[in-house]
Amino acid sequence: MRITQSRALSLALLAAIALPVTACARHRTRGDLPYVARDVGTLYSAARARLDQGRYKEAAQLFDEVERQHPYSVWARRAQLMSAFSYYLDHDYTNSIQSAQRFLSVHPGNRDAPYAYYLVSLGYYEQIQDVTRDQKITRQALDALGELTRRYPTSRYAADARLKIDLVNDHLAGKEMEVGRFYERRGQWLAASMRFRAVIDTYQTTTHTPEALMRLTECYLNLGVPMEAQRSAAVLGRNYPGTQWYRQAFRLMGQHPASDLPAVGRGVQAVPPGTPGARAQSLPGDAGTARPGSPTPAPGSGGTPPTPPAGGSTMPTPATTGSEGGAAGTPAGSTSGRPGT
């Protein structure tokens, strides 16, 4: 009986000892590699072999092991960049950005720094989503690409970065157009006009500018300022005469023609005396009121200058034939989910 109790007590002690070990093993990250001391050549060769085999996650972890086990070797610096590249190929953009930024913080003046900046910008660029989502990642990609072109304008990665900057700007303009069209559908013309105006002022070289000018013409007409609408349509006809957006703006202005207000000469009240709320007093500069220190006009001299002819910007007639101006004729809402590479 004593032997049985002793055996049961021993089994209970073994179970209590093994429980923390099992819990630690359970909480260990499944992708972590066990620490095995190896020389730098063996580790780097194994990581490069995994990379060539397309096993990018394992390759990245082995490159991290090179940096962890041999931090002061010449291969550790190279392994940091290779780790960021392996994570990028594995579509793990967060770890790729972190590895590249760690390299830049430790080796800011290294000759491979342009490539590290390029990996950071690619990590943000590949995460750009469609215009219906939040565009925080898009702005981070624009900042990273701008940092690369500003620091290393003549590097081999700068040309591709400039191309991607144009695509990112087009994507941000598409987001402004999406929000502006939303306000326009709800009849909030002032809010919509501010969005379309932002496209014209900030992203005027993108493919969304012709549509923004036409939408701005619509907003101004609904806001009751036809002269501003005519100016927007004139700018549209001057720069994009062969697009469908100008044909629509020309048709709108034909349905709602803008007319100049008559000029008010000197000595004439802008508000007629019989208008309710008008004050019966003469305006400064009336013919019957002499200003102190000013000569009195001679009798018979005309005190009112000739009225200028009714002007206003004239719009050219839209072309009935001709090609649509490339991407400028893209219909509304045709912004792609992510700019192409």
Side-chain angles (χ1 to χ4, degrees):
M1 187 66 180
R2 290 181 180 177
I3 297 176
T4 306
Q5 292 178 351
S6 300
R7 182 177 299 173
L9 183 59
S10 301
L11 292 175
L13 290 174
L14 288 174
I17 295 173
L19 183 60
V21 177
T22 306
C24 293
R26 185 177 301 171
H27 288 289
R28 180 187 300 170
T29 305
R30 185 172 297 177
D32 289 348
L33 293 176
Y35 182 84
V36 179
R38 285 168 286 186
D39 60 280
V40 62
T42 302
L43 276 175
Y44 196 91
S45 299
R48 186 58 186 267
R50 299 294 193 283
L51 183 64
D52 295 338
Q53 295 170 6
R55 299 158 65 178
Y56 304 124
K57 187 174 183 61
E58 296 179 16
Q61 292 175 345
L62 286 173
F63 283 125
D64 290 338
E65 281 295 309
V66 173
E67 181 187 359
R68 182 171 67 163
Q69 295 190 20
H70 307 278
Y72 302 107
S73 66
V74 294
W75 292 99
R77 183 169 60 248
R78 182 67 176 173
Q80 285 181 342
L81 277 180
M82 295 301 295
S83 173
F85 177 66
S86 301
Y87 280 125
Y88 171 78
L89 293 179
D90 194 47
H91 305 292
D92 189 352
Y93 302 118
T94 301
N95 283 326
S96 176
I97 293 172
Q98 291 177 354
S99 297
Q101 288 178 341
R102 187 171 64 251
F103 174 85
L104 290 171
S105 63
V106 179
H107 313 286
N110 190 269
R111 64 178 183 179
D112 293 324
Y115 181 66
Y117 278 107
Y118 186 62
L119 283 177
V120 171
S121 60
L122 284 181
Y124 287 123
Y125 182 83
E126 294 294 338
Q127 298 182 72
I128 294 177
Q129 298 180 353
D130 59 276
V131 294
T132 60
R133 304 292 186 87
D134 183 70
Q135 298 301 307
K136 179 181 178 181
I137 292 292
T138 310
R139 299 187 183 279
Q140 289 176 329
L142 183 62
D143 294 339
L145 291 166
E147 186 77 9
L148 172 60
T149 56
R150 184 169 56 254
R151 288 178 177 270
Y152 305 98
T154 59
S155 65
R156 55 188 298 188
Y157 312 105
D160 186 60
R162 294 188 187 96
L163 174 62
K164 285 180 169 55
I165 286 175
D166 293 338
L167 296 174
V168 170
N169 281 327
D170 196 88
H171 196 77
L172 291 174
K175 177 63 177 181
E176 295 291 333
M177 294 296 300
E178 180 73 15
V179 178
R181 285 191 292 264
F182 170 78
Y183 285 136
E184 194 177 23
R185 288 192 297 267
R186 295 171 63 92
Q188 299 177 1
W189 305 109
L190 182 59
S193 65
M194 293 175 64
R195 293 290 182 167
F196 298 139
R197 190 71 198 180
V199 174
I200 298 171
D201 293 339
T202 309
Y203 309 107
Q204 57 183 333
T205 59
T206 63
T207 60
H208 299 278
T209 304
E211 182 187 355
L213 286 167
M214 193 279 296
R215 302 287 182 186
L216 200 59
T217 303
E218 291 179 344
C219 292
Y220 285 148
L221 287 176
N222 284 277
L223 287 172
V225 281
M227 294 304 299
E228 294 295 330
Q230 185 174 1
R231 290 191 184 94
S232 299
V235 173
L236 178 58
R238 175 69 176 178
N239 294 278
Y240 307 97
T243 61
Q244 62 171 345
W245 304 116
Y246 177 63
R247 288 196 292 271
Q248 294 183 22
F250 187 84
R251 185 172 62 252
L252 284 174
M253 294 307 303
Q255 297 172 356
H256 305 85
S259 59
D260 291 338
L261 295 176
V264 179
R266 293 185 59 185
V268 180
Q269 293 188 7
V271 180
T275 304
R279 292 185 295 178
Q281 63 180 10
S282 59
L283 298 177
D286 285 350
T289 303
R291 296 183 181 180
S294 60
T296 303
S301 62
T304 303
T307 303
S313 57
T314 58
M315 297 186 299
T317 305
T320 57
T321 59
S323 60
E324 299 292 337
T330 306
S334 63
T335 306
S336 59
R338 178 171 61 84
T341 55

